[in-house]
Amino acid sequence: MGRWKPDARGRLERAALELYTDKGFDATTVAEIAARAEVTERTFYRHFVDKREVLFQSNALADVLARATATAAAPLAPLEVIAHVLTEAAPVFEERAELVRQRQAVIAANPELQERELAKLASLGSSLDRALQERGLDSATAALTAEIGIAAFKVAFARWIDDPDQHAFAQHIRETLDATRQLTAPAEHAAATDDTSLQDQENGA
Amino acid sequence: MGRWKPDARGRLERAALELYTDKGFDATTVAEIAARAEVTERTFYRHFVDKREVLFQSNALADVLARATATAAAPLAPLEVIAHVLTEAAPVFEERAELVRQRQAVIAANPELQERELAKLASLGSSLDRALQERGLDSATAALTAEIGIAAFKVAFARWIDDPDQHAFAQHIRETLDATRQLTAPAEHAAATDDTSLQDQENGA
C-alpha cells in the first residue's frame, strides 16, 4: 500500500466519488475504493459503515443548521431566521463545491440513493423545526417555517448546482428567499392586464 | 369464500388497513388480507402488485393536482394557484378521512414506508412543477412554487390528521396558506419591541 499518507478519510471520499462517477454506484466495491485511496479495506470500515455511508456521512449540516437557528439574533422574523440559517450553511457546500456536485450527480443516477437523500432532507427539516421551537416559536409556526426553509434550500441548492456562472451559494439563497417573498405577497391583479392579453401571453409561451 | 360481494378492491383496502393497524405492516400477509376481505389471493393480486401497493395505489391525487393546476383561472398569482389546487384536492382526503388517518398511522410506524411516502410527495412536487410550467411560469418560479405548495400541503395535512376538532381539510389549507403569507411578508420590526423584552419572552417560553 506504499508509504503512509495523511487524510485517509478525505482520500477515501474522493476515491469513492470518482469510482461512483466512472463505474456507477452499484458496480463499485469497497475493495476498489480502498485500493484507489491507497489504504486497506479495514481502514475504509474504520471511517464508514458501508459504501452508501460515504455519500451520507455528514451530520455537519444538521449541526450548522441547529446552531445557526439557536444563535440567530432574537428579534428576527421567522423567514429572516431561515435566511440567516441557510446563509450560515452555505460555506459547508462552497468549501467543497466540486465534491458536492460529483455527489449530486451520483445520487441523481440512482433512485435508491434519491430516496435516502429525501429522508435526510426530511430529517433536517425536523431538526430545524425543533430548533425553531426552542427559539420560542409555537409548534404550528415552527413546522411551517421549517418546511418553507427546506423548500427554499432545495430550490437554492438545485440552482447553485446547475449555475453555469457559478455564483456563490449564498447569492442563490438570497435570490430564492426574495422570490419566495414575492411569490407569497398578496396578489395585485395588475390593472393593465386583462384576461385576453394574459391568454395571448400563455399561448405564446 | 361465501357468496360474491361487490367492491372487492374497497374491501381489500379496508381489510389491509385493519390488519396493518392491528398486527403491524410487516407481520401481515396477503393471505390474511384476502381472507378478511372474503376473496381469494388471486383476486388480491388482480388489484394490487403487493401489500405495500395497497398503501400507495392511487394516482388520483397527482391527477387532481395536475388538472386543477391546468384549469385554474388565468390571472391567478402563483400562490393563489396553489391555494386553488390544494382546495380542489381536499375532497380526495375528506371523502375517506377514516381510511386516510388509519393509513397515516401505519406509515408513521414504519421507516421504510415513510421513505416511500417522501418519494411519493417528491414526485407530486415534480408533477406540480411541470403543470405550473405548462401554465406559462418560468422554470425557476415553477420549481419554487411547487416546493412551497408541497410544504404547505404537508403542514396542512399534518394539522388536519391531528385536529381534535376535525375541521375540514380545506380550512386547514386556507389557514396554512394565510400563515405562509404572514410568515414570508417583509418583516416589520415592531417599534414597541426591544431586544430585552423579546429576550424575556423567550426565557419565559
Side-chain angles (χ1 to χ4, degrees):
Chain A
M1 291 284 149
R3 64 195 169 79
W4 182 87
K5 293 178 183 177
D7 188 25
R9 187 182 177 91
R11 278 185 295 128
L12 280 165
E13 191 187 357
R14 288 189 294 276
L17 281 169
E18 284 167 19
L19 285 162
Y20 299 165
T21 304
D22 294 346
K23 305 183 52 169
F25 174 78
D26 286 330
T28 300
T29 65
V30 167
E32 290 168 316
I33 297 169
R36 180 170 296 209
E38 297 180 52
V39 300
T40 60
E41 282 190 61
R42 239 179 104 175
T43 300
F44 177 94
Y45 287 113
R46 263 207 297 278
H47 290 282
F48 303 104
V49 175
D50 56 29
K51 68 176 184 168
R52 196 179 76 160
E53 211 48 33
V54 181
L55 298 166
F56 297 101
Q57 53 179 300
S58 173
N59 290 317
L61 186 56
D63 294 345
V64 169
L65 292 184
R67 200 167 49 239
T69 309
T71 59
L76 291 182
L79 200 73
E80 291 180 312
V81 176
I82 293 297
H84 170 81
V85 164
L86 296 184
T87 307
E88 291 284 305
V92 174
F93 299 94
E94 279 173 354
E95 280 162 10
R96 19 186 287 137
E98 200 41 58
L99 290 179
V100 171
R101 286 201 170 83
Q102 254 185 319
R103 171 183 179 280
Q104 216 54 30
V106 171
I107 289 174
N110 186 315
E112 188 205 324
L113 297 176
Q114 283 167 41
E115 294 211 358
R116 181 84 188 86
E117 178 82 337
L118 288 171
K120 204 189 155 191
L121 270 174
S123 133
L124 275 181
S126 302
S127 310
L128 197 50
D129 183 355
R130 278 192 302 278
L132 288 165
Q133 290 192 45
E134 278 162 21
R135 277 183 71 84
L137 284 191
D138 66 274
S139 66
T141 309
L144 184 60
T145 306
E147 287 290 347
I148 291 174
I150 295 296
F153 171 77
K154 282 172 76 173
V155 171
F157 184 77
R159 289 176 50 151
W160 175 66
I161 286 277
D162 294 334
D163 182 4
D165 301 327
Q166 310 223 337
H167 289 131
F169 191 26
Q171 180 176 335
H172 285 292
I173 288 168
R174 265 196 311 280
E175 288 174 5
T176 302
L177 289 170
D178 285 345
T180 303
R181 285 188 199 94
Q182 284 195 298
L183 263 188
T184 54
E188 299 173 37
H189 289 176
T193 313
D194 61 26
D195 275 12
T196 325
S197 68
L198 200 75
Q199 198 62 46
D200 291 347
Q201 241 173 282
E202 290 202 343
N203 290 340
Chain B
M1 289 286 148
R3 65 195 168 76
W4 181 86
K5 293 180 182 178
D7 188 24
R9 188 183 176 90
R11 278 185 294 129
L12 280 164
E13 191 187 356
R14 288 188 295 275
L17 282 169
E18 284 166 18
L19 286 162
Y20 300 165
T21 303
D22 294 345
K23 306 184 51 170
F25 174 77
D26 286 330
T28 300
T29 66
V30 167
E32 291 169 314
I33 298 169
R36 179 170 299 210
E38 297 180 52
V39 300
T40 60
E41 282 190 62
R42 235 177 110 175
T43 301
F44 177 95
Y45 287 113
R46 263 207 297 278
H47 291 282
F48 303 104
V49 176
D50 56 30
K51 67 176 184 170
R52 196 178 77 160
E53 210 49 31
V54 182
L55 298 166
F56 297 101
Q57 54 181 300
S58 172
N59 289 317
L61 186 56
D63 293 345
V64 169
L65 292 183
R67 199 167 51 239
T69 310
T71 58
L76 292 182
L79 200 72
E80 291 179 312
V81 175
I82 293 297
H84 171 81
V85 165
L86 296 185
T87 306
E88 291 285 304
V92 175
F93 298 93
E94 279 173 354
E95 282 161 11
R96 17 186 288 136
E98 201 40 58
L99 290 179
V100 171
R101 286 200 169 85
Q102 255 185 318
R103 171 183 180 278
Q104 216 55 28
V106 171
I107 289 173
N110 186 313
E112 189 205 323
L113 297 176
Q114 283 167 40
E115 293 210 359
R116 181 82 187 86
E117 177 82 336
L118 288 171
K120 204 188 155 192
L121 271 173
S123 133
L124 275 182
S126 303
S127 310
L128 197 50
D129 183 356
R130 279 193 301 278
L132 287 164
Q133 290 191 45
E134 277 162 23
R135 278 184 70 85
L137 285 191
D138 66 275
S139 66
T141 308
L144 184 60
T145 305
E147 288 290 348
I148 289 174
I150 295 296
F153 171 77
K154 282 172 76 173
V155 171
F157 184 76
R159 288 176 51 151
W160 175 66
I161 286 277
D162 294 334
D163 182 4
D165 299 327
Q166 309 225 339
H167 288 132
F169 191 25
Q171 179 177 336
H172 286 292
I173 288 167
R174 266 196 310 280
E175 288 175 5
T176 302
L177 289 170
D178 285 345
T180 303
R181 284 187 201 95
Q182 283 194 299
L183 263 187
T184 54
E188 298 174 38
H189 288 176
T193 313
D194 62 28
D195 275 13
T196 324
S197 68
L198 201 74
Q199 198 64 47
D200 291 346
Q201 241 173 282
E202 290 203 341
N203 290 341

